[in-house]
Amino acid sequence: MSETIILNSIEKKLERPQISSPILCELIAVSKEYSLDSGNVMALKDIHFRLYEKDFLSILGPSGSGKSTLLHILGLLSNPSKGRIFFKGQDVSCLSEWALARLRGQKIGFVFQAFHLLPSLNALENVALPLIYQRVSGGQRKRKALEALEKVGLARRSHHFPRQLSGGESQRVAIARALVSQPSLILADEPTGNLDTQMGKEILGMLKMLNEEGKTVVVVTHDVRIANEANRILFLKDGKVESLSSRGEAR
Amino acid sequence: MKSHLIFYDHLKTAFQMVSTHRLRSLLSVVGIVFGVLTLMVTLSIGEGTRRKIMKTIEAMGSNLIYVSSHAGMSQDAGFEYIPLTEAECQRFKEVKGIEAYAPILSSAFLMQASTFQQVIPVEGTTPSYQRVRDLALDQGRFLADEDVLKESRGVVIGKDLAQFLFPFQNPLNQKVHLWDESFKVVGVLQKKGRTFGVDFDREVLMPLSTLQQIQGKRGEVQGAWIRTPRGDLTKQVMRQMEILLSRKDVEIWDQEALLSKKDRITRAFKWSLGSIALVSLLIGGIGVMNVLLVSVAERIREMGLRKAVGATSRDILFQLIFESVFLTLTGSCVGILLGLVTGDFIAWLLNTLLPSTEKWEAVFSWSSIGVAFHFSLWVGLLFGLYPAWKASRLDPCEALTYF
Ligand SMILES: Nc1ncnc2c1ncn2[C@@H]1O[C@H](COP(=O)(O)OP(=O)(O)OP(=O)(O)O)[C@@H](O)[C@H]1O
Ligand SMILES: [Mg+2]
């Protein structure tokens, strides 16, 4: 896949009308450095960028460019080495570990390339997992988890274990899990990487539907066709923002 | 915070871990199971032995005193001692508050009969022994003053022994052979059972002078039994005897002194064995820790995911400590059950191998179960702490990308 195609598609996005919407998440001068025995790795270098509510952003870039690292920082799973992150206007560096965990559990849903379903739990229990940590009672948990499974069309499979599900079904269960606490932000790291084109389309459709329902969606991908479905595309290279199709952004 | 909700989930996760890795969990708790088992067995058999000894001593009666020139309570008189003399015993008459006394020389003989050959305890004593030890006769008579004077070859034998030797005959006036001497049975004791080291039912009583003559110990005795009219006089009598004998190597015991000494010894014994068991339980904890460390290494991605969906480090920490405690407590339950069975089995084995009037028994107390359970709980907490801490410190991003 040549970069010109990617850049062309980004230009198309730039032509879209600008809509202003509240800022969900803002990164200011964010850097992430990993220290290894063999020396330090700068995974992200001086990232400035805003994520708006109801946004559908895709993050594109070559392998090792820092896409996953950026997604983890957006999901408050790791702290930047430098810089600040504001989530809903709140400086997250001021939050306690407990408050961060609560934000992750209630406001953010993750979808991973490898699904990350717990093999010892059935579909329903996997979906209900985030609710455990919000101390939701058993009955409520079941009800909400079933609702989320229905939404991804897998209510019939609620008692199946991950090993009894196909890749596409597993990923839908994972999406249901990301939905179950009705978060405002869904972060997906190559959600279609392990699936065939047909399944990939289905998953993408689901993410689009969620975006239309008002959730902010960020998808990391290698696939330009998937990236093109998003409202905005962020192109990363060597840990830096190479380009960003800005829409509604007052720069 | 509704923490009982998460408690239930931890329990469920712990249960799932154990049930999906049955063999591994089993192996990890083997140490705990054996530690608890040993603890239960040592405590129950120890307590059983203590009670057995106490019962034997209690059967002695509170108005008896035993004097010996050594701690000669044990039947195997293999050690050396400076004997008491008959002359010393004669002076007991001077002590106020003595109802009766009887000097004792004990020994053992190999008895040969057509049907059996066995080592039989033999005591040489005087006629007053009957009164002192409250011995009733089934047949014939007890030893008489004349027997002692004449060093006669008349003996009084226990009921069981009589039935053994003469199952179809009247034992009176029958001959018994001890070593190479021949004796005549003059009396048979009523069944009395084993009281305080002496099984009267299997024993032979002969005149003191006769035994002294056979053993070449003229004028020597091993000890003496003294009877006071009432239990509250024993202390006073003991004090007088101490002054009278004025010998450092003489020990004077009454029931109370024996009880407290034996009690101390058996308690110490029980707990020294028990603490060895506790140490093995502690070592068992290492097995649990090992398995938890493996389990944590295996579930790194699971821990990462749990954090991604909102678990705090504390949630992870508690979950793993919970699993550790769950494992050890399961192990200790198995150990307790096995310990109950094994204790009873050992008691049964002792009863078949070493039969005695006071039965061997395994005494299980709630306190020993409590000790086992409590200790396993701490072992679980202690050895779960490190794996749990390790798991809780995992960086979720690294954990999620870990393969
Ligand atoms: N835990 C870590 N420790 C050290 N270096 C890391 C760690 N995680 C990521 N890196 C490094 O940071 C850089 C960015 O990694 P990242 O996983 O974000 O890339 P990516 O864009 O997601 O790549 P891919 O498309 O292959 O998933 C890489 O050079 C990687 O080696
Ligand atoms: Mg990646």
Side-chain angles (χ1 to χ4, degrees):
Chain A
M1 190 155 312
S2 73
E3 275 185 24
T4 47
I5 298 174
I6 298 168
L7 289 175
N8 282 343
S9 63
I10 289 169
E11 265 150 32
K12 260 184 226 154
K13 297 290 169 203
L14 283 169
E15 290 158 13
R16 285 205 178 181
Q18 300 193 345
I19 308 158
S20 69
S21 155
I23 299 167
L24 177 68
C25 188
E26 178 156 19
L27 273 63
I28 298 173
V30 164
S31 297
K32 180 74 183 181
E33 190 171 9
Y34 290 109
S35 41
L36 298 171
D37 295 338
S38 51
N40 291 358
V41 180
M42 279 295 254
L44 294 176
K45 293 166 201 158
D46 200 29
I47 306 267
H48 289 269
F49 119 90
R50 282 175 179 170
L51 191 60
Y52 297 93
E53 282 184 15
K54 302 181 172 65
D55 206 351
F56 189 173
L57 175 85
S58 67
I59 301 177
L60 210 57
S63 185
S65 57
K67 304 184 294 292
S68 298
T69 307
L70 180 59
L71 200 76
H72 289 154
I73 284 179
L74 276 173
L76 313 179
L77 266 180
S78 76
N79 299 318
S81 317
K82 271 191 221 127
R84 292 218 157 161
I85 300 157
F86 293 87
F87 191 90
K88 294 204 164 191
Q90 164 82 58
D91 183 349
V92 298
S93 67
C94 302
L95 296 177
S96 68
E97 201 238 315
W98 177 79
L100 281 174
R102 194 181 53 177
L103 267 185
R104 277 201 297 273
Q106 296 181 348
K107 301 283 179 240
I108 301 168
F110 281 97
V111 179
F112 303 94
Q113 179 176 2
F115 321 138
H116 288 323
L117 300 178
L118 301 190
S120 59
L121 303 181
N122 67 26
L124 191 74
E125 290 166 329
N126 262 296
V127 172
L129 196 65
L131 301 176
I132 289 180
Y133 298 108
Q134 294 165 37
R135 273 69 170 171
V136 175
S137 73
Q140 284 262 359
R141 242 148 64 187
K142 212 168 173 176
R143 198 175 54 71
K144 288 188 177 178
L146 208 58
E147 237 168 60
L149 273 175
E150 259 161 27
K151 194 147 195 187
V152 298
L154 277 181
R156 295 169 294 120
R157 295 269 191 273
S158 63
H159 290 287
H160 286 216
F161 284 88
R163 62 174 184 283
Q164 300 163 325
L165 298 170
S166 74
E169 286 168 336
S170 293
Q171 197 59 300
R172 275 147 75 189
V173 171
I175 290 177
R177 179 180 61 195
L179 288 180
V180 75
S181 32
Q182 292 172 330
S184 32
L185 176 60
I186 302 245
L187 302 172
D189 195 350
E190 298 182 42
T192 60
N194 281 6
L195 305 174
D196 63 27
T197 337
Q198 184 53 40
M199 277 295 168
K201 265 187 193 158
E202 212 171 293
I203 297 298
L204 187 70
M206 227 159 247
L207 292 173
K208 272 171 89 172
M209 174 190 81
L210 292 173
N211 179 241
E212 274 151 26
E213 284 174 14
K215 297 196 190 306
T216 310
V217 177
V218 179
V219 185
V220 165
T221 182
H222 277 125
D223 191 337
V224 179
R225 271 169 302 177
I226 290 172
N228 279 334
E229 300 285 337
N231 297 339
R232 295 199 299 159
I233 300 175
L234 180 92
F235 193 85
L236 273 183
K237 197 176 178 187
D238 293 334
K240 281 191 229 153
V241 180
E242 180 102 339
S243 67
L244 174 65
S245 65
S246 53
R247 222 180 55 177
E249 197 168 337
R251 238 202 256 173
Chain B
M1 181 145 310
K2 290 173 256 169
S3 55
H4 64 276
L5 291 173
I6 202 129
F7 176 89
Y8 174 73
D9 285 290
H10 287 343
L11 185 68
K12 220 166 121 185
T13 313
F15 184 76
Q16 269 162 354
M17 185 195 69
V18 170
S19 57
T20 46
H21 300 287
R22 269 184 225 111
L23 183 66
R24 183 206 290 172
S25 307
L26 186 77
L27 290 177
S28 75
V29 297
V30 161
I32 300 288
V33 170
F34 274 92
V36 169
L37 188 148
T38 341
L39 185 71
M40 292 295 292
V41 169
T42 47
L43 292 187
S44 66
I45 295 288
E47 179 62 16
T49 311
R50 194 180 72 84
R51 289 204 190 168
K52 179 172 138 72
I53 291 171
M54 294 302 118
K55 270 189 204 159
T56 322
I57 297 172
E58 266 160 20
M60 166 181 162
S62 66
N63 54 346
L64 280 186
I65 299 169
Y66 184 75
V67 187
S68 75
S69 54
H70 198 280
M73 300 327 257
S74 87
Q75 275 178 310
D76 55 311
F79 43 76
E80 269 190 71
Y81 60 98
I82 304 162
L84 275 176
T85 61
E86 257 185 287
E88 276 172 311
C89 293
Q90 292 284 338
R91 298 180 55 199
F92 293 162
K93 283 185 196 141
E94 299 163 26
V95 178
K96 273 197 243 54
I98 286 188
E99 183 186 319
Y101 75 91
I104 285 284
L105 188 61
S106 32
S107 181
F109 283 88
L110 185 70
M111 182 178 275
Q112 309 245 8
S114 53
T115 49
F116 81 177
Q117 170 179 334
Q118 208 179 333
V119 176
I120 296 293
V122 174
E123 283 190 300
T125 186
T126 59
S128 52
Y129 197 47
Q130 184 181 12
R131 180 138 155 243
V132 174
R133 295 305 300 268
D134 203 12
L135 301 171
L137 283 159
D138 189 51
Q139 275 178 294
R141 62 173 179 85
F142 198 72
L143 302 171
D145 287 330
E146 216 179 51
D147 293 319
V148 180
L149 270 172
K150 290 182 179 165
E151 297 176 8
S152 84
R153 290 322 195 227
V155 292
V156 174
I157 62 175
K159 182 81 180 167
D160 286 350
L161 189 59
Q163 269 166 2
F164 249 135
L165 289 169
F166 314 108
F168 310 113
Q169 293 151 289
N170 183 346
L172 276 188
N173 296 320
Q174 298 282 354
K175 290 246 177 300
V176 291
H177 297 277
L178 295 170
W179 200 239
D180 57 352
E181 302 255 351
S182 173
F183 294 81
K184 193 176 83 181
V185 178
V186 298
V188 177
L189 293 175
Q190 264 182 23
K191 217 163 160 59
K192 187 175 171 82
R194 196 183 177 94
T195 57
F196 188 49
V198 184
D199 187 355
F200 284 105
D201 298 339
R202 298 173 148 255
E203 160 174 82
V204 171
L205 297 174
M206 67 168 68
L208 176 65
S209 52
T210 313
L211 189 58
Q212 283 172 335
Q213 190 254 322
I214 292 170
Q215 295 196 326
K217 291 181 173 171
R218 195 150 297 281
E220 286 180 21
V221 298
Q222 201 163 29
W225 285 95
I226 291 130
R227 188 187 185 93
T228 61
R230 297 192 317 270
D232 55 348
L233 289 173
T234 51
K235 284 277 170 291
Q236 182 198 326
V237 168
M238 283 165 77
R239 257 196 310 279
Q240 288 184 65
M241 281 171 49
E242 254 166 51
I243 299 163
L244 186 81
L245 289 167
S246 65
R247 262 174 70 168
K248 285 273 189 300
D249 61 338
V250 161
E251 288 184 88
I252 304 170
W253 301 97
D254 68 344
Q255 187 191 38
E256 199 187 306
L258 271 176
L259 276 175
S260 70
K261 183 184 175 182
K262 291 283 180 183
D263 197 39
R264 248 182 296 127
I265 292 173
T266 50
R267 256 179 218 281
F269 184 68
K270 188 173 104 176
W271 281 106
S272 58
L273 282 179
S275 47
I276 293 171
L278 286 183
V279 170
S280 72
L281 194 57
L282 207 62
I283 292 167
I286 296 171
V288 171
M289 181 162 81
N290 242 319
V291 160
L292 280 167
L293 284 173
V294 170
S295 167
V296 167
E298 243 178 26
R299 288 153 66 199
I300 283 181
R301 285 203 286 163
E302 173 185 332
M303 300 307 160
L305 179 87
R306 285 180 187 272
K307 280 196 172 173
V309 299
T312 59
S313 298
R314 239 180 59 168
D315 289 330
I316 302 287
L317 187 83
F318 281 158
Q319 182 192 324
L320 272 141
I321 287 180
F322 206 90
E323 286 178 18
S324 171
V325 169
F326 183 81
L327 263 180
T328 44
L329 287 190
T330 312
S332 89
C333 284
V334 175
I336 286 169
L337 290 178
L338 285 180
L340 294 174
V341 177
T342 315
D344 277 335
F345 174 73
I346 288 176
W348 173 83
L349 211 63
L350 284 171
N351 279 322
T352 6
L353 296 179
L354 305 164
S356 62
T357 325
E358 292 295 346
K359 287 236 175 301
W360 295 93
E361 56 178 338
V363 180
F364 299 102
S365 57
W366 285 110
S367 76
S368 56
I369 292 177
V371 167
F373 218 69
H374 202 251
F375 205 77
S376 329
L377 184 79
W378 283 107
V379 165
L381 283 174
L382 190 72
F383 288 95
L385 211 57
Y386 176 63
W389 177 80
K390 254 188 105 164
S392 72
R393 297 300 305 271
L394 284 172
D395 173 12
C397 295
E398 282 178 50
L400 280 167
T401 45
Y402 177 92
F403 281 97

